[in-house]
Amino acid sequence: MQPLLDISRLLSSAGRASLSGLDRVELAYVRHCATLPPRDRCFVALSPYGHFSLLPDALAMALLEAWLGVTRGEAVRARLRGISLAARAWLLSGLGHPALLRRIARMPRAALLLTAHQSMSEAAPIAALKRRGARFVPIIHDLIPLTHPEYARPRQTRAHARRLAVASALADAVLVVSGATRV
């Protein structure tokens, strides 16, 4: 598998002072993918236009380094916000989407790996990459909004049901974090 790792969550979390549990999971996957040769990895994010776009490798590596250093002080957090803004500007440019499609054409074992649930809210961006030959592999972290809706906001229950429906309809494989999630 050649991962197309979605790092949308780490980009959207840049204004926070610390990492959430899901952020740490995504960061661990970024750290692992960073050990792969650049030709065998690809970092992507959802663009404001509603499709996945390739992020320049150097930008993703700078984001990784900034998150790893986030506990060292405000200057690191300011750098993190700057990198996130640069990534958003890149996504707004529209250059990343055609670059991603060209990259997928050269990666016969490409798989969109979603470590956070937020990028599963809509089927269309995922389906578009599947039509280009990419596989889709999401990670399901929990089912609590569905199995115990009293612990979730009503909006989250509906959103999670929609995300799981997208995963069920489009996933080539699903990674789960526990036996309780493997239903």
Side-chain angles (χ1 to χ4, degrees):
M1 176 176 84
Q2 295 169 298
L4 309 172
L5 182 61
D6 175 33
I7 59 173
S8 298
R9 184 173 177 94
L10 285 177
L11 288 172
S12 68
S13 297
R16 294 190 194 146
S18 62
L19 293 164
S20 71
L22 285 176
D23 294 332
R24 287 190 297 274
V25 169
E26 190 163 293
L27 184 61
Y29 274 87
V30 173
R31 286 179 81 174
H32 171 73
C33 287
T35 67
L36 299 173
R39 71 178 182 283
D40 291 336
R41 68 176 184 235
C42 182
F43 298 99
V44 302
L46 272 174
S47 81
Y49 305 114
H51 53 256
F52 284 99
S53 291
L54 174 75
L55 288 170
D57 200 64
L59 194 57
M61 292 298 97
L63 183 69
L64 169 63
E65 289 303 317
W67 270 117
L68 292 175
V70 78
T71 59
R72 289 187 288 230
E74 185 60 36
V76 174
R77 285 194 291 275
R79 182 170 180 258
L80 180 61
R81 285 189 296 274
I83 293 165
S84 180
L85 286 173
R88 290 174 200 272
W90 169 258
L91 293 170
L92 279 170
S93 78
L95 297 172
H97 184 62
L100 177 58
L101 298 181
R102 287 190 301 273
R103 187 74 181 267
I104 290 171
R106 295 189 315 262
M107 294 175 84
R109 299 175 333 189
L112 176 63
L113 181 59
L114 299 185
T115 61
H117 295 154
Q118 71 191 37
S119 293
M120 283 190 289
S121 294
E122 299 296 328
I126 298 164
L129 293 186
K130 285 185 61 87
R131 283 191 299 276
R132 295 295 187 136
R135 292 167 186 83
F136 170 46
V137 181
I139 297 174
I140 305 298
H141 295 274
D142 66 58
L143 302 175
I144 290 172
L146 300 178
T147 59
H148 297 83
E150 64 272 21
Y151 297 117
R153 294 181 297 275
R155 184 175 49 116
Q156 280 304 103
T157 301
R158 289 187 299 276
H160 205 58
R162 186 174 57 250
R163 292 171 184 143
L164 293 178
V166 168
S168 178
L170 297 175
D172 295 288
V174 175
L175 301 176
V176 295
V177 298
S178 69
T181 329
R182 187 179 40 112
V183 178

